């Protein structure tokens, strides 16, 4: 079965569905998504480099993982599902919604548009969990200190995905990533 995304109006009310494989174009309709930042026991944040085969922003460094809730799927359930599908992680802990009303629209250099109502979450890697990233989603990854990431984004925002940059402009996310890890 092909993955479906939930189309929404400006008030985030569902108005239909679309095939995920065809929805991201030069005229992408507004749809539901999510973004998740994963922290480890040392308080570092997982950054991922998008696979070179991705239709939008291939090879760009971004937050830990993103995805789309399916029709009728709770966003928190979609986050857990994508942690497994994208990063091979069976369990995450402390899933916390930090930016419930985040929304963005961005156009990559090929003209592909992202247009999403995209709540932002922070979670912790479960003890003993290891990454086994899906190469169709993730080219590479690294754990970084959140303060170093914030400095890098402030100095060179063009190196990162536009949603990562936009999310990190919000002081609530900066606080959630830089405190001791106890959400």
């Amino acid at each position: 079965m092909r993955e479906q995304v939930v189309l929404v109006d400006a008030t985030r009310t569902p108005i239909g569905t679309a095939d995920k494989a065809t929805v991201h174009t030069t005229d992408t309709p507004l749809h539901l998504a999510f973004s998740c930042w994963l922290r480890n026991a040392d308080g570092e944040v997982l950054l991922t480099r998008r696979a070179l085969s991705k239709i939008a922003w291939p090879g760009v460094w971004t937050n830990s993982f993103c995805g789309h809730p399916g029709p009728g799927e709770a966003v928190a359930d979609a986050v857990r599902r994508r942690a497994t599908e994208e990063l091979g992680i069976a369990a995450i802990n402390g899933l916390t919604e930090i930016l419930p009303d985040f929304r963005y629209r961005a156009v990559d250099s090929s003209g592909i548009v992202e247009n999403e109502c995209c709540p932002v979450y922070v979670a912790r890697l479960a003890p003993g969990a290891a990454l086994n990233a899906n190469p169709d989603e993730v080219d590479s990854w690294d754990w970084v200190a959140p303060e170093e990431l914030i400095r890098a984004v402030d100095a060179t925002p063009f190196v990162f995905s536009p949603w990562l940059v936009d999310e990190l402009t919000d002081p609530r996310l900066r606080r959630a990533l830089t405190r001791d890890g106890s959400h």
Side-chain angles (χ1 to χ4, degrees):
M1 187 169 146
R2 296 178 68 96
E3 186 176 353
Q4 298 287 301
V5 299
V6 178
L7 305 177
V8 295
D9 65 17
T11 66
R12 297 179 184 237
T13 302
I15 58 171
T17 61
D19 185 334
K20 180 187 171 215
T22 63
V23 76
H24 295 97
T25 66
T26 57
D27 191 30
T28 303
L30 184 61
H31 59 280
L32 292 179
F34 69 84
S35 181
C36 189
W37 295 77
L38 193 60
R39 297 184 69 193
N40 64 19
D42 296 327
E44 296 169 313
V45 176
L46 178 67
L47 287 187
T48 59
R49 183 173 182 238
R50 292 170 60 83
L52 297 175
S53 60
K54 298 293 275 185
I55 189 168
W57 286 275
V60 172
W61 285 94
T62 193
N63 60 294
S64 306
F65 64 101
C66 297
H68 303 87
E73 182 180 29
V75 178
D77 292 340
V79 173
R80 289 181 184 90
R81 173 178 53 81
R82 286 299 295 168
T84 301
E85 292 172 356
E86 194 163 325
L87 300 175
I89 299 170
I92 54 176
N93 292 331
L95 183 62
T96 305
E97 188 178 44
I98 305 296
L99 305 177
D101 297 321
F102 182 74
R103 178 178 170 182
Y104 77 99
R105 184 180 186 282
V107 182
D108 85 350
S109 59
S110 72
I112 298 296
V113 174
E114 285 283 8
N115 188 18
E116 297 180 337
C117 291
C118 184
V120 178
Y121 291 79
V122 173
R124 289 186 310 278
L125 185 65
L131 297 181
N132 184 21
N134 178 344
D136 293 332
E137 299 288 341
V138 177
D139 174 78
S140 50
W141 68 86
D142 203 359
W143 292 98
V144 299
E147 298 82 4
E148 291 176 12
L149 172 61
I150 290 168
R151 282 193 296 275
V153 169
D154 288 347
T156 58
F158 50 85
V159 174
F160 301 95
S161 71
W163 58 91
L164 175 148
V165 174
D166 288 351
E167 290 170 14
L168 272 179
T169 63
D170 193 301
R172 294 173 294 174
L173 181 59
R174 287 184 178 215
R175 281 191 303 272
L177 294 178
T178 56
R179 62 182 182 228
D180 69 3
S182 58
H183 309 289

